[in-house]
Structures are given as C-alpha cells and as structure tokens.
Amino acid sequence: CSDMAVADLILKNAKVITVDPQRPTAALVAVGGDKILLVGGSEELASVKGARTRVIDCQGRTVVPGFIDAHCHLFSFVRKLVSIDLGPPAVKSISDIKAAIRQKAQETPPGQWITGTDYNDFYLAEKRQPTRWDIDEVTPTHPVILAHRSLHACVLNSLALSLAGINRETPDPPGGLIDRDLNTGEPTGLFFEMLGYLREKVVPPLTEEE
C-alpha cells in the first residue's frame, strides 16, 4: 500500500461500535494522523500496517466513537426559562436587577415567588453582590431568590429569608456559608453553596404548567 495508507495506530481484536447501520460493528480501527483510515475486519490488518505502526490489542474490549458530552441539567434549564434573565447583556448593574424585579412584581400576585438567574457580580457596574435590602426596595411582598451564574451563590430578600427560617442565630450549614453584616451579624441575603438546599427545602417546586 502507499505511504498515505500506512497507519500510525491500529486498534485490533476490538468490538468496535461504528454507529453505522450498514455495518454496526467491526474488529479493527486504523488511524493515520488525525484521521480514521479504516474501520474493518482483522483480515485487513496487513493492508494498513507499516514498520512504525503502533498496534494495540484490545483483547475483545469495546471501542466507541469519541463522545462530546453536551449534557443538560434539565430542571435548572427549565428554571432559567421561567425566571428573570439577569445575565449580561440583559443586566449591567444592580439597578437593572432591581428594575427587572420591580417589573416582574407588577405582573405577579403578592406572596408568589419571583426567581432570577445568571446574575454575575463581576459584570455589574457596582462590582458587588446584590443584597436582601436591594431587593426589598422593589418588592417586600414577594419572596425572591436570585441565582448567581456559577450556581455557587444566591441571594434571598427578607421575605424569602423569613420563609426559610433564617436569621442572625442560624448557624452556617456544613459546606455552606451565610454572608452576614459585619456590624450586626444579620444575614445579608447572600448565600454560598446553598442554592440546591434552598430550592429543595424553601422554594416551591416547579408547577405542572411550568
């Protein structure tokens, strides 16, 4: 065979899953550079093997195509769809966050939760996290939870804190952190590594309609 057809790497004695309905399995894969030269049977080994070809005996093990894991956190994705988009470029400041919550509050019955997602303090003009008091200014009658872009932080307003039963006496849970005012010890509404817990224990589950 020509030099172009000589493989750099051959996987032999394999159970190759080809994802080709015309030939769903094979026993050999030959690779040259960054291309697959041949997917075939054991009898084709000699046609692609050269003096410097590396041959790996798979001993009957399964070989599959490379996977690109485009996985989706399905319920987190649904929450994003039914929440206020607080990520850039939609939101550029805490003032923008407050305006978005104020607008949502006008459309939402009092007492019903308001959720926001994807805020990122790094991109906010104020270069800080929002607090319970920021949110209280625009809606004291709706419990609010805002999820950070990383999902490692979130912010609750005062009504949501009350519903969660969290106050200055509440200890930090294992693995979590309740941010507190340095002078009073009062929770600022900012939580780290507690979003999953708060969504499970405090925020109502998604409705059938959602």
Side-chain angles (χ1 to χ4, degrees):
C1 59
S2 67
D3 291 342
M4 291 297 292
V6 173
D8 298 315
L9 171 68
I10 294 175
L11 306 178
K12 71 174 186 176
N13 295 333
K15 181 181 178 182
V16 183
I17 307 300
T18 67
V19 200
D20 179 359
Q22 301 301 316
R23 186 177 187 179
T25 61
L28 178 144
V29 176
V31 179
D34 60 356
K35 297 183 182 298
I36 293 176
L37 302 178
L38 173 71
V39 178
S42 299
E43 70 279 1
E44 298 177 89
L45 176 65
S47 68
V48 288
K49 183 177 181 298
R52 297 185 178 182
T53 302
R54 180 187 178 201
V55 179
I56 297 176
D57 187 345
C58 295
Q59 300 179 0
R61 293 183 175 88
T62 299
V63 174
V64 297
F67 289 114
I68 297 175
D69 180 15
H71 76 278
C72 176
H73 295 267
L74 185 59
F75 285 97
S76 290
F77 180 58
V78 172
R79 287 190 185 97
K80 288 182 67 169
L81 293 178
V82 299
S83 298
I84 307 170
D85 178 10
L86 299 178
V91 165
K92 298 180 180 179
S93 66
I94 291 175
S95 294
D96 288 348
I97 291 176
K98 291 163 66 174
I101 296 171
R102 181 184 290 108
Q103 176 63 38
K104 186 68 174 179
Q106 292 173 355
E107 307 164 359
T108 305
Q112 186 171 317
W113 280 79
I114 293 175
T115 62
T117 60
D118 281 354
Y119 84 85
N120 189 336
D121 52 306
F122 182 81
Y123 291 104
L124 298 178
E126 296 85 353
K127 299 298 182 184
R128 67 170 176 86
Q129 302 270 359
T131 68
R132 62 190 285 189
W133 300 292
D134 292 317
I135 306 171
D136 288 348
E137 289 178 13
V138 291
T139 178
T141 58
H142 299 81
V144 178
I145 181 169
L146 310 180
H148 190 272
R149 173 67 181 86
S150 66
L151 301 181
H152 291 289
C154 62
V155 181
L156 274 64
N157 68 344
S158 294
L159 181 54
L161 283 170
S162 177
L163 293 173
I166 296 173
N167 53 46
R168 74 172 67 185
E169 280 75 40
T170 305
D172 291 346
L177 175 66
I178 301 173
D179 187 63
R180 304 171 193 274
D181 183 275
L182 294 178
N183 296 317
T184 66
E186 196 71 30
T188 65
L190 175 62
F191 298 85
F192 294 96
E193 307 298 348
M194 291 179 63
L195 178 60
Y197 168 82
L198 292 167
R199 280 178 170 172
E200 180 181 349
K201 301 295 186 182
V202 182
V203 181
L206 295 168
T207 65
E208 288 296 324
E209 181 181 0
E210 289 172 326

